[in-house]
Amino acid sequence: MYISDFSLSRLPRIEFGPGVLGRLPTIARIYGTRALLVTGASSLRNSPFWTPVTDGLKAQGVSWLHLAIPGEPSPQMVDEAVRALRPESIDVVIGFGGGSALDAAKAIAGLLKPGNSVMDHLEGVGPELAYVGPATPFIAVPTTAGTGSEATKNAVLSVQGSDGFKKSFRDEKLVAEVALVDPDLLATCPASVIAANGMDAFTQLLESYVSCRAAPLTDSLAWGGMKAARDGLLALYADAGDAAARNRMAYAALVSGITLAQVGLGSVHGLAAPLGAFFPIPHGVACGTLVAQATRANIEALQAREANHPVLEKYAQAGRLLSKQGQLNQTASHAALIDTLDAWTRELQLPPLAQYGVTHADIPRIVANSRGSSMKTNPIALTDAEIAGILAARI
Ligand SMILES: [Zn+2]
């Protein structure tokens, strides 16, 4: 086994398990007595989890303000929240929701003290100034199993429309102090959200596993995460009441955030950024609908141009893992991997891109905007024609 050089950037303190939400009030109190709760639009206020959290904060002497984020967060939303909330002397920001709520909370926590616009720091747009902090302590409580934002150092912000973009505010200082991952929170997750987010988590694991920056430490994490997703995703989609499946998918998502933050992603996420910027397509749907075809394209490009590349054997390992057929040769394992991903795409009813208004005429513009940070860690440099082929197959 060859141990390549690697760095491990900081992680949150992680509390994982059914019921860990009950620890939130005492953990929040460690950071002070004034909290900001950031949630998604379909507010947790009506869920069975809201009252225990807010009563618990009150019992700990922590007062709180609530900010609901409608849809995926934009830079304008973050700037407005920071402007309005700076005078409130917030001690701790609690992101409680899906990836959008967590990313909004992370960005707001990053800027409450410095007070400048998030546009100063977004990658690829504006001046890209270095972020010096300090960040307000941030606690991440995911209620979906998908983006892994609870473990990452970036907040994805988007402006949607023909001039849209989807870019990251990224810095190690933005990593949550604590990630409270309570699989029981998935019990109220709708099936379509489980499908899209679960495919996002799996994509993040596979893309980290074959990333050109992959390293043994993250490989072992990604491997366990892919195994958990193999055994949890369809089961959780069928029944959100399946506690073992909830645990597996909450774990897969958490680990996917850890691995992607360390070694990057690939072509699926390279394409998900412009797709999400130009069209109203949720991130998980974009990833889920593309991952099988993008995996096929990567394997074919590697076979055509770099037939001895060691990542072909990693794809084969993933194929044996998903199909539970350890004896398959490399070619058969590649087919098993793609077949399994195609089957998941069908069974999870991930819609084609046309459902969100994407047409063949849009392909050149999407391809032209797909070469952001994720595409740079794809295991092989794809041509424009190859990237266009991935999209064309999913319209
Ligand atoms: Zn993702």
Side-chain angles (χ1 to χ4, degrees):
M1 181 181 184
Y2 175 70
I3 308 297
S4 51
D5 297 357
F6 70 93
S7 348
L8 184 67
S9 56
R10 65 176 280 258
L11 296 172
R13 168 182 157 194
I14 295 167
E15 302 281 343
F16 181 95
V20 299
L21 181 65
R23 300 178 199 163
L24 176 60
T26 41
I27 290 174
R29 180 64 187 83
I30 294 169
Y31 301 99
T33 55
R34 185 81 165 142
L36 170 66
L37 270 168
V38 181
T39 68
S42 54
S43 176
L44 286 164
R45 275 184 175 238
N46 303 320
S47 83
F49 307 114
W50 183 257
T51 308
V53 165
T54 50
D55 284 356
L57 289 172
K58 206 169 151 195
Q60 287 292 325
V62 178
S63 64
W64 49 272
L65 291 167
H66 176 218
L67 176 69
I69 297 292
E72 298 193 358
S74 67
Q76 193 192 344
M77 257 182 232
V78 169
D79 284 354
E80 279 170 12
V82 166
R83 213 174 298 131
L85 294 162
R86 282 196 86 204
E88 297 287 345
S89 305
I90 304 288
D91 296 318
V92 56
V93 177
I94 301 167
F96 190 13
S100 294
L102 297 194
D103 280 4
K106 192 185 291 180
I108 292 167
L111 293 164
L112 271 178
K113 287 200 176 97
N116 59 309
S117 168
V118 73
M119 289 303 294
D120 292 343
H121 306 297
L122 277 192
E123 288 175 354
V125 281
E128 300 190 68
L129 302 180
Y131 172 73
V132 289
T136 301
F138 165 48
I139 301 174
V141 187
T143 60
T144 63
T147 65
S149 178
E150 63 273 21
T152 70
K153 57 192 164 199
N154 64 311
V156 180
L157 304 179
S158 34
V159 171
Q160 212 170 68
S162 54
D163 297 325
F165 59 79
K166 196 159 188 168
K167 297 287 178 185
S168 278
F169 171 25
R170 191 188 310 264
D171 195 276
E172 204 167 311
K173 292 184 274 298
L174 301 178
V175 174
E177 289 292 320
V178 184
L180 271 176
V181 184
D182 187 337
D184 282 355
L185 293 172
L186 303 177
T188 54
C189 214
S192 61
V193 174
I194 287 169
N197 289 6
M199 282 295 261
D200 181 25
F202 181 82
T203 303
Q204 291 171 175
L205 291 162
L206 181 63
E207 292 200 313
S208 321
Y209 188 65
V210 299
S211 155
C212 58
R213 282 170 47 209
L217 185 92
T218 47
D219 280 356
S220 44
L221 287 170
W223 186 260
M226 289 193 288
K227 197 170 175 181
R230 175 195 72 187
D231 297 338
L233 180 51
L234 295 183
L236 187 63
Y237 180 67
D239 177 14
D242 181 337
R246 289 202 301 257
N247 274 16
R248 289 178 181 128
M249 288 315 295
Y251 179 76
L254 169 69
V255 169
S256 80
I258 297 174
T259 60
L260 85 85
Q262 304 297 333
V263 300
L265 294 163
S267 64
V268 178
H269 279 79
L271 283 166
L275 279 169
F278 301 148
F279 302 93
I281 175 165
H283 176 73
V285 172
C287 291
T289 205
L290 294 178
V291 62
Q293 189 60 32
T295 302
R296 186 181 282 118
N298 270 356
I299 291 172
E300 285 174 3
L302 284 157
Q303 283 167 337
R305 298 198 286 283
E306 298 189 46
N308 295 318
H309 197 301
V311 87
L312 280 167
E313 184 49 30
K314 290 180 98 175
Y315 274 121
Q317 288 163 352
R320 293 181 197 114
L321 178 76
L322 294 200
S323 66
K324 299 189 187 176
Q325 296 182 78
Q327 78 295 348
L328 296 180
N329 67 27
Q330 198 179 80
T331 308
S333 321
H334 290 160
L337 173 62
I338 293 163
D339 287 351
T340 306
L341 294 177
D342 276 333
W344 287 3
T345 310
R346 279 192 308 274
E347 287 175 42
L348 297 169
Q349 298 182 287
L350 288 151
L353 296 169
Q355 200 157 312
Y356 296 90
V358 183
T359 67
H360 286 272
D362 297 309
I363 290 178
R365 187 166 56 115
I366 299 166
V367 173
N369 287 279
S370 70
R371 297 194 183 273
S373 56
S374 294
M375 196 63 93
K376 294 192 173 78
T377 43
N378 197 57
I380 182 162
L382 297 175
T383 64
D384 282 358
E386 285 164 343
I387 299 171
I390 298 170
L391 292 166
R394 291 302 299 163
I395 288 179

